[in-house]
Amino acid sequence: MMEKQAVLLPRDSGRLIATKSEDVKVCPHGVKQVAKRIWNSLSQNEYSIKMWKQHELHPKTMTKETIDWIFVLDTLNFSFWTSSDIEPYLVHYKGKEHRGYWALCAVINRALDEGIPITSPSYYASMTLEQLQYVFRSHTSTPIPLLEQRLKHLHEAGKVLQEKFRGSFVNCIIQCNGSASELLKLITENFSSYRDTATYQNQTVSFYKRAQILIADIWACFEGQSYGSFTDINTLTMFADYRVPQVLNYLKAITYSDKLMELLRSGRELTQGERLEVEIRGCSIWTVELIRKELEELIAQDSAPKMLLNSIIIDFYLWDFATENWDDIQDIPIHRIRTQFY
């Protein structure tokens, strides 16, 4: 009987994919330039872990209720984009319109304001499609993509939390004794919607975008304290989605082949696990690892007090860069894919 092949964790997956990639390449000069850009922000205290709570739609309190808010957020944190020829999915909340990830944050907060217990596993484990449709109602005629898949995620998550973890993700954290790697393992073993893997050249690789960002969001919200205290938080990588690769390409830290760029500009949707998608995500992970190494060298050379740095901080910086420079980066196409993983 053949042994089951081990799944490479995201960092090792990124290294393997970057080594063998055909249509996506890491650009060493671009890596150095991005590292210098981030270094300037970090050294001038323009960017830190505290940025997470400064976003107006993120929770500000470090409580058990916030843990369950973040868990629901990242259980549903995927696939917000809409085609350019139709209205975007928008959520109107407290006098403002929100799109993408921020629309999801607004949806959760709006539901709670209306007395809908959307962060309670006992509620969302048995939500109906009609109830979820109301929660996700759009300010435009365009509904949230993959609504049925989101309902399936909530049903599974609520059932698992009630049956195995006494009705709260807090107990998942407690069980892992301050280890981010153990929590990552617990999440991917118990919640199938978080098993973000693919096969690349006969090797099973992983990206675990939502599982890793779930842990990272808790770490950032709690500023590395209490439920957010992890002794091995640096084992996490960046979160391979469709936005950060776009920014890395814009900043010339990764390059796409002419064939790939032409395909992306054509608007053709990629499929989950196809080679091009795997190369974009894997090379993005490894590029951020190389940026981190460059930053570590810059920090080591500086006489100022050592600053907090890991791949999470770099990812958060790049994602916020995309938001702040939205118009400038639009010439770089995202890889379009309709998936439950990001």
Side-chain angles (χ1 to χ4, degrees), residues 184-203:
L184 182 65
K185 182 180 178 183
L186 181 149
I187 294 165
T188 55
E189 286 183 351
N190 288 278
F191 302 92
S192 65
S193 73
Y194 282 89
R195 291 178 201 145
D196 178 9
T197 63
T199 301
Y200 186 71
Q201 298 199 6
N202 300 315
Q203 171 65 54

Side-chain angles (χ1 to χ4, degrees), residues 65-77 108 119 121 124 153-154 157-158 161 168-169 172 187 191 194 210 214 218:
E65 289 75 19
T66 294
I67 294 292
D68 287 322
W69 188 100
I70 293 172
F71 179 71
V72 167
L73 174 80
D74 287 318
T75 297
L76 299 172
N77 187 1
I108 297 172
T119 59
Y124 59 72
H153 284 200
L154 287 173
L161 286 180
S168 175
F169 191 72
C172 299
I187 294 165
F191 302 92
Y194 282 89
R210 289 193 297 105
L214 168 57
I218 292 167

Side-chain angles (χ1 to χ4, degrees), residues 161-280:
L161 286 180
Q162 289 186 99
E163 292 180 354
K164 294 186 176 182
F165 301 105
R166 302 192 306 282
S168 175
F169 191 72
V170 165
N171 296 314
C172 299
I173 298 171
I174 293 171
Q175 186 171 311
C176 293
N177 298 311
S179 170
S181 57
E182 285 300 312
L183 185 54
L184 182 65
K185 182 180 178 183
L186 181 149
I187 294 165
T188 55
E189 286 183 351
N190 288 278
F191 302 92
S192 65
S193 73
Y194 282 89
R195 291 178 201 145
D196 178 9
T197 63
T199 301
Y200 186 71
Q201 298 199 6
N202 300 315
Q203 171 65 54
T204 305
V205 294
S206 69
F207 305 100
Y208 295 152
K209 184 265 182 177
R210 289 193 297 105
Q212 290 198 109
I213 205 170
L214 168 57
I215 301 168
D217 283 344
I218 292 167
W219 173 75
C221 179
F222 285 75
E223 298 178 20
Q225 305 299 315
S226 180
Y227 296 120
S229 176
F230 299 104
T231 57
D232 57 349
I233 192 66
N234 292 349
T235 59
L236 300 189
T237 68
M238 64 82 77
F239 321 117
D241 61 0
Y242 47 80
R243 188 64 63 203
V244 174
Q246 180 190 34
V247 176
L248 290 172
N249 189 286
Y250 173 78
L251 294 173
K252 298 181 170 54
I254 59 174
T255 58
Y256 295 163
S257 69
D258 291 343
K259 180 182 75 173
L260 175 56
M261 188 62 82
E262 183 180 345
L263 182 146
L264 296 180
R265 290 194 189 284
S266 75
R268 199 265 276 181
E269 283 189 31
L270 302 186
T271 56
Q272 173 68 38
E274 73 167 279
R275 180 181 63 81
L276 294 173
E277 186 235 6
V278 170
E279 290 186 358
I280 291 170

Side-chain angles (χ1 to χ4, degrees), residues 26-183:
V26 180
C27 177
H29 176 72
V31 165
K32 290 180 182 293
Q33 294 305 114
V34 173
K36 288 178 182 177
R37 178 190 289 269
I38 297 174
W39 163 249
N40 288 334
S41 290
L42 293 177
S43 60
Q44 295 172 30
N45 294 316
E46 294 176 354
Y47 204 86
S48 74
I49 188 176
K50 296 180 185 294
M51 293 294 290
W52 196 93
K53 283 210 290 284
Q54 290 177 18
H55 292 295
E56 63 176 331
L57 294 174
H58 280 164
K60 307 296 183 280
T61 57
M62 296 187 284
T63 63
K64 291 182 178 180
E65 289 75 19
T66 294
I67 294 292
D68 287 322
W69 188 100
I70 293 172
F71 179 71
V72 167
L73 174 80
D74 287 318
T75 297
L76 299 172
N77 187 1
F78 59 92
S79 201
F80 304 110
W81 63 271
T82 48
S83 298
S84 58
D85 57 342
I86 63 172
E87 289 184 294
Y89 170 73
L90 294 176
V91 172
H92 192 79
Y93 178 65
K94 290 190 173 179
K96 294 183 180 180
E97 286 186 345
H98 304 277
R99 68 171 67 205
Y101 166 82
W102 297 116
L104 174 60
C105 294
V107 158
I108 297 172
N109 290 336
R110 182 177 64 182
L112 292 172
D113 290 350
E114 294 173 347
I116 300 170
I118 189 61
T119 59
S120 173
S122 61
Y123 174 76
Y124 59 72
S126 57
M127 275 188 89
T128 66
L129 184 62
E130 290 72 24
Q131 287 172 324
L132 191 62
Q133 207 162 23
Y134 175 77
V135 167
F136 271 103
R137 66 193 182 276
S138 177
H139 193 57
T140 67
S141 60
T142 303
I144 186 74
L146 301 179
L147 184 69
E148 292 83 359
Q149 192 68 51
R150 295 176 200 279
L151 184 66
K152 183 179 178 182
H153 284 200
L154 287 173
H155 284 171
E156 181 206 41
K159 182 179 179 183
V160 170
L161 286 180
Q162 289 186 99
E163 292 180 354
K164 294 186 176 182
F165 301 105
R166 302 192 306 282
S168 175
F169 191 72
V170 165
N171 296 314
C172 299
I173 298 171
I174 293 171
Q175 186 171 311
C176 293
N177 298 311
S179 170
S181 57
E182 285 300 312
L183 185 54

